[in-house]
Amino acid sequence: MSVKTPGFSLRATPIGTLYRGGEGMWTWVLHRITGVSVFFFLFVHVLDTALVRVSPAAYDEIIATYKTPIVNLLEVGLVGAVLFHAFNGVRIILIDFWSKGPRYQRQMTWVIAAIWLLVMIPGIYFMMIHTIDALFGSTS
Amino acid sequence: MSTSVFAPRSGSRNKQRSNFELYGWLFMRVSGIILIFLVLGHLFIMNILDGGVQRINFAFVAGRWSSPFWQIWDLSMLWLALLHGGNGMRTIINDYAERDQTRFWLKMLLYVSTAFIIGLGTLVIFTFDASIG
């Protein structure tokens, strides 16, 4: 049930706006969420890598956690977040610098979604093949 | 109730005009393009190629950082990613932290922690010693 106000509707994306509603708004929301997530991971990642200055054993121990099934799954999520942020970043640059960018911003959203899927499907396979093998594989 | 929005071009906020935000905006786009190559290359090598994360250990890092190419790659990625992310976080804090005090201290925390992580990462790359332990 929606209230009909002349010239104003909450559901449809108004013409001529980029960030109010629809693909333009939700990609903006996702861009922020993925950006913040990756930024926090960067802190953790620099700290774990810094253990190479402590000892080889300390580094190998922390890296071993990255090889466990649950953290492996989190890595897939991280790669998915980085890929979205990267592809949508290209979309933002095209909106800003390409004269036809704003007009095609909606189509570009579906193009980056398709590229994201095309990269993620083989990506998930190669990232998780060891984990799947270790959990369900018949051979050692 | 008085409004807190200044009239356009009233000059009230334009006393110390600077192009900082313009350069910040441009930096996000330029660093973003470079980071696409550096980060996606890094993720591909570390997570997908040749067994992915399963083959990473101290010896693997030692092998990579024996080459100046990967040292420069990682150093550029460290600086650009943290400055890009730090500026993004600054924008988000400015957007959502409404109280002046909260905004100020959140940004101080952000600047100090980001500087610490950039400094630590730089130190690790420059002082890495494959023969320790």
Side-chain angles (χ1 to χ4, degrees):
Chain A
M1 206 175 87
S2 66
V3 184
K4 280 265 160 71
T5 315
F8 180 76
S9 158
L10 280 176
R11 292 194 60 206
T13 308
I15 290 163
T17 72
L18 197 56
Y19 291 110
R20 211 178 99 194
E23 291 85 345
M25 182 176 84
W26 291 109
T27 48
W28 176 83
V29 170
L30 266 179
H31 204 75
R32 292 209 151 178
I33 294 172
T34 52
V36 172
S37 312
V38 172
F39 186 72
F40 283 126
F41 169 74
L42 276 182
F43 273 50
V44 177
H45 190 43
V46 171
L47 290 171
D48 68 53
T49 305
L51 288 176
V52 295
R53 289 297 293 125
V54 177
S55 76
Y59 181 74
D60 288 350
E61 198 179 328
I62 198 88
I63 287 303
T65 62
Y66 278 99
K67 303 175 186 179
T68 60
I70 291 169
V71 183
N72 191 216
L73 201 61
L74 290 173
E75 286 160 43
V76 171
L78 174 79
V79 169
V82 171
L83 281 176
F84 171 81
H85 201 85
F87 297 153
N88 192 53
V90 173
R91 175 179 157 274
I92 292 170
I93 290 170
L94 287 172
I95 291 171
D96 289 340
F97 291 105
W98 178 36
S99 58
K100 289 180 181 149
R103 192 189 305 165
Y104 291 117
Q105 65 91 9
R106 184 166 305 157
Q107 288 89 328
M108 287 196 285
T109 303
W110 298 106
V111 171
I112 66 160
I115 298 172
W116 186 87
L117 269 178
L118 280 175
V119 177
M120 278 305 277
I121 291 166
I124 291 170
Y125 174 80
F126 286 111
M127 284 185 72
M128 297 210 67
I129 186 159
H130 178 90
T131 295
I132 293 163
D133 229 37
L135 289 179
F136 309 110
S138 50
T139 53
S140 65
Chain B
M1 219 175 104
S2 71
T3 171
S4 59
V5 177
F6 291 94
R9 290 180 221 77
S10 63
S12 349
R13 299 190 82 170
N14 297 346
K15 288 207 176 84
Q16 335 93 309
R17 258 192 99 96
S18 87
N19 284 329
F20 180 77
E21 293 299 336
L22 171 70
Y23 294 132
W25 178 90
L26 196 62
F27 171 76
M28 294 309 263
R29 274 127 190 98
V30 174
S31 61
I33 291 171
I34 301 169
L35 280 166
I36 287 175
F37 294 101
L38 294 177
V39 172
L40 297 193
H42 177 77
L43 288 178
F44 182 73
I45 293 163
M46 295 300 174
N47 288 301
I48 295 200
L49 207 65
D50 195 24
V53 75
Q54 303 298 331
R55 77 201 190 292
I56 294 174
N57 56 24
F58 183 85
F60 182 87
V61 177
R64 278 171 64 82
W65 279 350
S66 63
S67 149
F69 178 82
W70 294 114
Q71 284 184 312
I72 294 166
W73 182 300
D74 287 352
L75 192 70
S76 319
M77 191 163 60
L78 172 81
W79 278 75
L80 288 176
L82 279 155
L83 291 175
H84 183 104
N87 192 40
M89 291 296 286
R90 184 183 68 88
T91 308
I92 288 174
I93 292 169
N94 280 339
D95 276 358
Y96 299 120
E98 293 183 2
R99 284 184 60 231
D100 285 353
Q101 287 275 311
T102 314
R103 206 164 52 238
F104 175 80
W105 288 111
L106 279 176
K107 282 195 275 189
M108 282 304 130
L109 180 67
L110 172 72
Y111 298 156
V112 170
S113 56
T114 305
F116 171 75
I117 292 292
I118 292 177
L120 178 69
T122 306
L123 183 84
V124 168
I125 292 173
F126 278 122
T127 66
F128 178 72
D129 176 9
S131 65
I132 62 162

